[in-house]
Amino acid sequence: MKVLITGITGFVGSHLADYLLTKPEVEICGIYRWRSDTKNIDHIKDRLKLWECDLKDASSVSKIIDDVRPDKIFHLAAQSFVPTSWHAPAETLTTNIVGELNIFEAVRRAGLNPWIQIAGSSEEYGLAYEEEIPIKETNPLRPLSPYGVSKVGQDLLAYQYYMSYKLNVIRTRGFNHTGPRRGEVFVCSDFARQVVRIEKGLQPPVIKVGNLDAKRDFTDVRDMVRAYWLSLEKCKPGEVYNICSGKSYKISEVLEMLLGMTKETIEVKANESKFRPSDVLVLLGDSSKFRKETGWKPEIPFEKTLKDIIDYWRGRI
Ligand code: GDD
């Protein structure tokens, strides 16, 4: 079985590749951008087939799809950092929406109908009112960032391609996921990295933070990639599924937990540049639709995830 992962050098892509290596029937093919750092897959590179490709380039996507003829595609490549989407909204929309469009058109032109997972996001829900928590798939979408809008675009494009052409797409809406290898700009990794830099004397004992009042529903990335695999095994084409733990933490609690994992005494300081023009205040999801379809449930406790992130940075810095 040929599985194609877009964004294979990324955080989620590399964990999915690790997971799929436990499945002997799977041949793992991956697409990466020429600029991307391959450190996340250096340990498994010789067991993967890799293609360099910019998803915005339709003809190069088409060539790869013709070449690989995948049975399954996990579309994980994206501009995924919310604050960047305010600085580069056009780039975010183009990469995320047109990149996906090029994959859909390429498989159609090749006369294929692989199973395709489209990695949507809880950021699509954006503003959710108290009475709407925990958030179900039927909740109105009120995205609060260009990134959120780009994910709504990806999600609905997938729906439309299913309706128009019966393309076998599964739309997942992943809530926050984190773990080792998480990029340093994302909150848990950002805080853990700062703590380790302080431990190593590379930064004064002051941690810079943004909005600590936001709440997020975190899942370990290793549970998330297992869910992504199951989504293509068990879910219904055209349908949309929340994937989340169903428990949310205030970002201040996440900070406290990380500060409890070091012997250093650290001062906390708000940094203006880390606040967003509009932040999603509460994300807490209901994933019962997905759990019913697949039997999935998260297995890794959040405390272990945070410990693994801090250890990851201790090993890297
Ligand atoms: N990055 C960061 N750095 N965030 C901070 C900080 C900080 O120093 N201080 C507070 N925060 C708050 C942010 O304002 C936000 O409310 C929350 O921590 C989480 O921020 P991120 O880790 O950057 O993630 P996100 O929730 O914006 O988006 C992530 O989750 C989405 C799914 O809900 C990303 O992984 C997206 O790609 C993903 O779709």
Side-chain angles (χ1 to χ4, degrees):
M1 179 199 297
K2 281 193 174 177
V3 171
L4 180 66
I5 303 175
T6 72
I8 194 161
T9 58
F11 165 60
V12 185
S14 67
H15 279 283
L16 179 61
D18 279 339
Y19 176 64
L20 295 187
L21 283 171
T22 64
K23 301 189 177 295
E25 74 278 17
V26 171
E27 182 182 337
I28 308 170
C29 305
I31 295 180
Y32 67 100
R33 254 184 331 174
W34 66 275
R35 278 189 305 256
S36 48
D37 182 344
T38 59
K39 69 173 181 314
N40 287 342
I41 55 163
D42 279 345
H43 62 297
I44 50 172
K45 232 176 173 171
D46 55 338
R47 300 170 70 190
L48 314 171
K49 287 198 170 164
L50 299 174
W51 279 262
E52 198 182 291
C53 167
D54 185 336
L55 291 176
K56 285 176 290 186
D57 181 346
S59 64
S60 111
V61 177
S62 226
K63 239 175 100 229
I64 288 161
I65 295 290
D66 284 344
D67 215 6
V68 178
R69 302 186 70 79
D71 300 295
K72 292 187 176 171
I73 300 177
F74 292 91
H75 179 39
L76 306 176
Q79 192 304 93
S80 64
F81 187 44
V82 174
T84 297
S85 75
W86 277 286
H87 303 304
E91 168 66 22
T92 302
L93 292 166
T94 312
T95 299
N96 295 1
I97 301 174
V98 176
E100 177 177 307
L101 178 72
N102 288 340
I103 296 171
F104 289 165
E105 283 301 316
V107 298
R108 271 174 23 81
R109 262 196 303 272
L112 302 171
N113 195 359
W115 288 89
I116 307 177
Q117 180 238 350
I118 294 301
S121 164
S122 49
E123 279 289 310
E124 292 175 52
Y125 296 115
L127 174 67
Y129 296 108
E130 221 178 296
E131 62 277 13
E132 295 172 335
I133 307 285
I135 304 168
K136 283 195 164 58
E137 290 83 351
T138 46
N139 214 68
L141 305 177
R142 308 182 192 100
L144 295 178
S145 64
Y147 169 79
V149 173
S150 79
K151 286 284 155 183
V152 172
Q154 282 193 247
D155 190 337
L156 296 185
L157 190 69
Y159 170 76
Q160 178 254 310
Y161 268 69
Y162 168 72
M163 293 302 281
S164 303
Y165 307 115
K166 290 286 166 282
L167 219 60
N168 284 322
V169 288
I170 307 289
R171 302 142 60 204
T172 56
R173 290 186 188 146
F175 284 60
N176 290 57
H177 36 292
T178 189
R181 297 183 208 151
R182 186 54 154 151
E184 64 189 52
V185 291
F186 298 92
V187 72
C188 303
S189 225
D190 181 339
F191 291 173
R193 179 172 169 272
Q194 291 191 64
V195 167
V196 173
R197 281 175 56 80
I198 292 165
E199 286 176 345
K200 304 218 173 187
L202 298 169
Q203 175 176 328
V206 180
I207 190 163
K208 294 176 203 130
V209 301
N211 177 16
L212 296 182
D213 292 328
K215 287 183 180 166
R216 290 292 184 274
D217 179 334
F218 290 99
T219 296
D220 191 286
V221 65
R222 293 157 287 194
D223 281 326
M224 191 54 91
V225 297
R226 207 164 40 79
Y228 284 174
W229 172 257
L230 283 171
S231 76
L232 292 195
E233 293 284 288
K234 310 228 175 194
C235 291
K236 295 192 178 72
E239 283 290 315
V240 64
Y241 300 90
N242 282 345
I243 307 180
C244 54
S245 72
K247 183 169 170 29
S248 81
Y249 289 87
K250 230 175 164 175
I251 301 302
S252 58
E253 288 177 80
V254 175
L255 178 61
E256 283 310 311
M257 288 164 81
L258 284 166
L259 291 178
M261 292 177 191
T262 182
K263 292 194 183 85
E264 303 291 323
T265 307
I266 298 177
E267 190 192 333
V268 175
K269 221 174 189 160
N271 184 319
E272 218 31 64
S273 70
K274 289 186 145 191
F275 287 79
R276 304 170 179 192
S278 45
D279 199 5
V280 174
L281 275 186
V282 187
L283 285 176
L284 171 58
D286 177 334
S287 59
S288 47
K289 180 178 173 188
F290 182 70
R291 292 182 192 219
K292 200 167 152 224
E293 208 83 78
T294 63
W296 175 85
K297 59 177 189 326
E299 284 166 2
I300 303 174
F302 189 45
E303 293 72 12
K304 172 169 165 49
T305 305
L306 289 182
K307 177 79 175 50
D308 289 351
I309 299 176
I310 209 164
D311 286 344
Y312 166 76
W313 284 110
R314 283 179 181 135
R316 275 210 57 204
I317 294 177

